[in-house]
Every structure is written in C-alpha cells, then in structure tokens.
C-alpha cells in the first residue's frame, strides 16, 4: 500500500461534518477513531487533506469544562471519584488520544486538566502509584503513561 492509498482509506472513514468512523459501513464515529485517523495522517504527512479547524472543533467540543477530560458522546459512564483511573479508564484514554490529535492539528485543549488536581499532591501521587496492581502491568502502566502525558502537556 502506498501513501496515497493509505490517505484515501483514511479519508473514506471521514464523517460528513467532522470526525472519522471506526470502520467503513458503520455509523460509529468516536473520539478514539478520529484521533487514530488524524495521528496516522500526521505520520504519513497527509494533514493537508483535512480541515484542521473543523477537526479540532470536534475534539474541543467534547472536552468537559469541569474536569478537563475529553468525554466521547458514546460513553455511557459518569465521572465520579475522578482519581479512580480504573473506573474512569475510558475517559482518561480518550483524553490521552484527543490531546495527541489536537497536537497533530496544531490546537490546544480549551480547559485545564482539573482532573489532575488530586495527583498534583506528591503524597497522593505516591500513594496512588504504590497502590497499583502490578500483577497486571499492561493495564497499570497505561495509567502511569496517561498521567505522565497529561503532566507533560501542561
């Protein structure tokens, strides 16, 4: 597959107004699928094929002002106990990929990452880290990666 074929495939996933579908033939547009498409376009220098402002607005409209998290409209959970990354794994993951996509588009989040306030306290962060279940390192290391990405983005 050459570069143009990859671009054509990604653009075939484009939703009518903004965002990208998870796969063709299904009306399943998510922040994650849109972020993956944008990150891949950036990787192959194909960003000129999309309207960056329109695509960034799709992400920015999903950012929760109170927490700063990016919440996909298809997510049926609710944000409570914001420091519980296990319970809120999907919004944390969606936020991580959304800020990567925004970075590729040349935009910044609208709101601060208030969900990090608990983790800004050194004792809280240390207690959280040492309380992780390292018997499942893949899942736990993702949580650490999310926090590191968020802190480095500020």
């Amino acid at each position: 597959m050459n570069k143009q074929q990859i671009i054509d495939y990604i653009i075939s996933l484009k939703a009518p107004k903004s965002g990208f579908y998870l796969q063709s033939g299904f009306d399943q547009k998510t922040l994650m699928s849109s972020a993956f498409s944008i990150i891949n376009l950036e990787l192959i220098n194909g960003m000129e094929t999309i309207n960056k402002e329109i695509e960034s607005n799709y992400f920015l409209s999903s950012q929760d002002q109170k927490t700063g998290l990016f919440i996909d409209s298809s997510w049926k959970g609710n944000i409570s106990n914001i420091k519980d990354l296990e319970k809120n794994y999907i919004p944390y993951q969606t936020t991580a990929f959304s800020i990567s996509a925004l970075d590729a588009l040349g935009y910044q989040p609208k709101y601060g990452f208030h969900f990090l306030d608990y983790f800004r306290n050194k004792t809280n962060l240390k207690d959280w880290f040492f309380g992780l279940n390292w018997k499942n390192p893949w899942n736990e290391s993702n949580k650490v990666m999310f926090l590191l990405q968020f802190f480095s983005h500020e």
Side-chain angles (χ1 to χ4, degrees), residues 95-113:
T95 298
F97 282 104
S98 293
I99 62 174
S100 293
L102 283 171
D103 185 57
L105 293 163
Y107 287 80
Q108 295 292 317
K110 289 191 291 188
Y111 309 113
F113 294 158

Side-chain angles (χ1 to χ4, degrees), residues 24-43:
S24 59
F26 293 90
D27 186 19
Q28 189 179 12
K29 176 177 77 168
T30 67
L31 291 173
M32 295 282 285
S33 60
S34 299
F36 297 152
S37 292
I38 289 167
I39 291 166
N40 277 295
L41 285 172
E42 179 190 39
L43 182 67

Side-chain angles (χ1 to χ4, degrees), residues 14-21 29 51 53-55 58:
K14 182 86 182 70
K17 292 181 181 177
S18 62
F20 291 80
Y21 295 120
K29 176 177 77 168
N51 183 310
E53 182 178 2
I54 289 173
E55 296 307 325
Y58 170 65

Side-chain angles (χ1 to χ4, degrees), residues 1-114:
M1 205 176 238
N2 66 34
K3 175 183 172 179
Q4 191 56 51
Q5 289 171 314
I6 295 169
I7 291 172
D8 291 344
Y9 174 73
I10 294 170
I11 297 303
S12 78
L13 300 174
K14 182 86 182 70
K17 292 181 181 177
S18 62
F20 291 80
Y21 295 120
L22 183 60
Q23 54 189 351
S24 59
F26 293 90
D27 186 19
Q28 189 179 12
K29 176 177 77 168
T30 67
L31 291 173
M32 295 282 285
S33 60
S34 299
F36 297 152
S37 292
I38 289 167
I39 291 166
N40 277 295
L41 285 172
E42 179 190 39
L43 182 67
I44 60 171
N45 296 318
M47 295 294 283
E48 73 282 351
T49 61
I50 60 172
N51 183 310
K52 293 178 184 180
E53 182 178 2
I54 289 173
E55 296 307 325
S56 67
N57 285 333
Y58 170 65
F59 290 97
L60 294 171
S61 69
S62 298
Q63 189 180 19
D64 179 63
Q65 184 175 2
K66 181 180 175 187
T67 64
L69 288 165
F70 287 80
I71 310 292
D72 196 283
S73 61
S74 66
W75 188 64
K76 301 301 179 211
N78 65 359
I79 301 296
S80 62
N81 194 11
I82 198 72
K83 65 183 179 185
D84 185 348
L85 269 76
E86 188 63 37
K87 181 178 179 212
N88 298 303
Y89 188 88
I90 297 299
Y92 274 80
Q93 183 181 46
T94 301
T95 298
F97 282 104
S98 293
I99 62 174
S100 293
L102 283 171
D103 185 57
L105 293 163
Y107 287 80
Q108 295 292 317
K110 289 191 291 188
Y111 309 113
F113 294 158
H114 307 295

Side-chain angles (χ1 to χ4, degrees), residues 100-128:
S100 293
L102 283 171
D103 185 57
L105 293 163
Y107 287 80
Q108 295 292 317
K110 289 191 291 188
Y111 309 113
F113 294 158
H114 307 295
F115 63 93
L116 287 178
D117 290 348
Y118 173 82
F119 300 102
R120 294 181 207 286
N121 177 289
K122 192 174 184 178
T123 301
N124 289 347
L125 183 60
K126 183 179 170 184
D127 290 346
W128 171 81

